[in-house]
Amino acid sequence: MTDFPRSLIEFQQRFGDEAACAQYLIATRWPDGFVCPGCGGSKAWRLETKAWTFECAGCGRQTSVTAGTIMHHSKLPLTAWFWAAYLMATHSNGISALQLQRQLAFGSYKTAWLLCAKLRCSMLAPDRSPLAGLVEVDETEITCRSKNDPVSGGGGRSHHRKILVVGAVEVEDNGAGPGRIRLNQVPDYSASSLHAFLAANLAPGATAKTDGWSGYPGAVGLIHDPHVVGKMAAHVILPWVHRIFSNVKVWALGVYHGLRRKHLQSYLDEFVFRFNRRRTRHAAFRSLLRIAAAHRPLTYNMLLSPEALA
Ligand SMILES: [Zn+2]
């Protein structure tokens, strides 16, 4: 497994130029040696005329280290990608596109936004394992802003919209603390929406501890542990999922001045990625690049209409 830097100084020393970044990506993408995406052949040579590009000895196809990844056709140097990935993955609260634009001195906000959006899509590991054991599950509403709302304030006249979100938190050691989490936008709190969330995020045999809402019982393969309480006491029965909900709302306001409805799920994915790696922040950089190197290319238009990604 590729190693990762454990401090900013170490990062700077290791990834100071394109060659160092490219070597790291090659090792991340092809840990057992180059494999041609065309024919599966492993015999290839590096082209001298094209940067970080292999030509397959079998079929002649040329593959650059970023071809077919989230970095496909990017005009940015790899060093910019690496800086952005490092800052996004290791900073405890993440970094907004505006902050990134300033930190990396990009000429345009769009460049920074696109980079952040692509990396954010690389924060959902396709092979992540479902939550297990005792899991608190509850719902909340997140207030989003539309494109034309001011980033803060609004004087009570802005068109804020509440989006429904379901959260799940593994409870470690009989309630000593939270384990891993999941957060998903849902269209409603119906049994079909909630069961779909449970099926996608909880391992068979896990126990879903809920407030007893009628949408939860009957999920296949799970043990249901309902605690029917008055609304005021839900945070007592389900303390960890409530703490996560409040953290995600504070984070959304603090880092992003509110989230946009259209991109809400990708921001939730970012929050989940960082929370689940809070004890291994520097290794999170490696995870992010690993997912990015395996993620299909995304265009600006695809990112602007996330529904097209589904
Ligand atoms: Zn080939």
Side-chain angles (χ1 to χ4, degrees):
M1 186 55 116
T2 322
D3 201 2
F4 52 89
R6 287 169 176 79
S7 71
L8 206 52
I9 296 286
E10 205 182 314
F11 172 85
Q12 187 196 24
Q13 286 167 348
R14 281 190 61 177
F15 300 114
D17 58 25
E18 291 295 287
C21 298
Q23 291 295 358
Y24 190 87
L25 268 188
I26 289 168
T28 301
R29 199 173 169 192
W30 299 295
D32 304 316
F34 176 80
V35 178
C36 172
C39 70
S42 60
K43 215 171 149 203
W45 46 81
R46 273 264 309 279
L47 294 178
E48 305 220 334
T49 48
K50 281 188 193 167
W52 314 110
T53 301
F54 295 90
E55 186 170 286
C56 176
C59 70
R61 176 167 165 159
Q62 296 183 356
T63 306
S64 82
V65 68
T66 56
T69 76
I70 200 90
M71 291 157 268
H72 196 80
H73 281 162
S74 171
K75 291 185 182 68
L76 291 172
L78 290 175
T79 47
W81 277 94
F82 273 56
W83 268 114
Y86 189 77
L87 294 173
M88 278 184 87
T90 60
H91 193 285
S92 57
N93 284 318
I95 184 166
S96 69
L98 193 60
Q99 289 169 316
L100 197 71
Q101 183 192 355
R102 289 173 184 157
Q103 293 279 342
L104 300 183
F106 289 141
S108 81
Y109 175 76
K110 183 179 165 182
T111 300
W113 184 87
L114 195 55
L115 179 55
C116 283
K118 287 179 176 177
L119 286 172
R120 199 171 290 119
C121 289
S122 307
M123 289 184 158
L124 188 63
D127 52 354
R128 63 182 185 173
S129 54
L131 308 186
L134 178 61
V135 182
E136 290 183 10
V137 183
D138 207 358
E139 323 89 49
T140 192
E141 292 178 344
I142 292 187
T143 304
C144 291
R145 62 184 170 89
S146 72
K147 192 174 184 178
N148 300 319
D149 286 337
V151 290
S152 61
R157 292 203 301 140
S158 58
H159 300 284
H160 284 137
R161 296 189 56 183
K162 290 190 185 298
I163 305 299
L164 311 183
V165 169
V166 186
V169 182
E170 282 176 337
V171 179
E172 286 187 340
D173 305 327
N174 285 324
R180 296 171 303 153
I181 64 168
R182 293 283 191 274
L183 293 166
N184 269 50
Q185 193 176 332
V186 284
D188 51 48
Y189 294 153
S190 67
S192 72
S193 297
L194 295 175
H195 286 187
F197 171 81
L198 294 174
N201 293 290
L202 270 63
T207 299
K209 184 176 177 185
T210 75
D211 61 4
W213 167 249
S214 60
Y216 288 112
V220 177
L222 297 176
I223 301 159
H224 184 220
D225 179 19
H227 293 257
V228 181
V229 289
K231 219 179 170 78
M232 294 301 289
H235 67 279
V236 178
I237 298 298
L238 303 167
W240 296 113
V241 70
H242 279 256
R243 188 174 293 191
I244 295 302
F245 287 156
S246 98
N247 285 356
V248 77
K249 288 169 189 176
V250 168
W251 171 77
L253 285 175
V255 178
Y256 294 111
H257 307 292
L259 302 178
R260 297 262 306 279
R261 189 180 66 83
K262 198 168 169 181
H263 303 292
L264 179 65
Q265 186 60 52
S266 72
Y267 287 101
L268 296 177
D269 292 340
E270 178 184 352
F271 184 89
V272 168
F273 176 91
R274 196 173 290 109
F275 187 88
N276 289 348
R277 290 167 178 79
R278 66 197 179 282
R279 294 163 187 148
T280 54
R281 284 211 195 284
H282 293 286
F285 166 74
R286 178 178 64 194
S287 311
L288 182 53
L289 281 182
R290 181 181 61 82
I291 304 168
H295 199 296
R296 71 196 165 105
L298 295 174
T299 64
Y300 187 61
N301 286 337
M302 288 159 91
L303 289 161
L304 277 190
S305 45
E307 56 275 16
L309 295 176

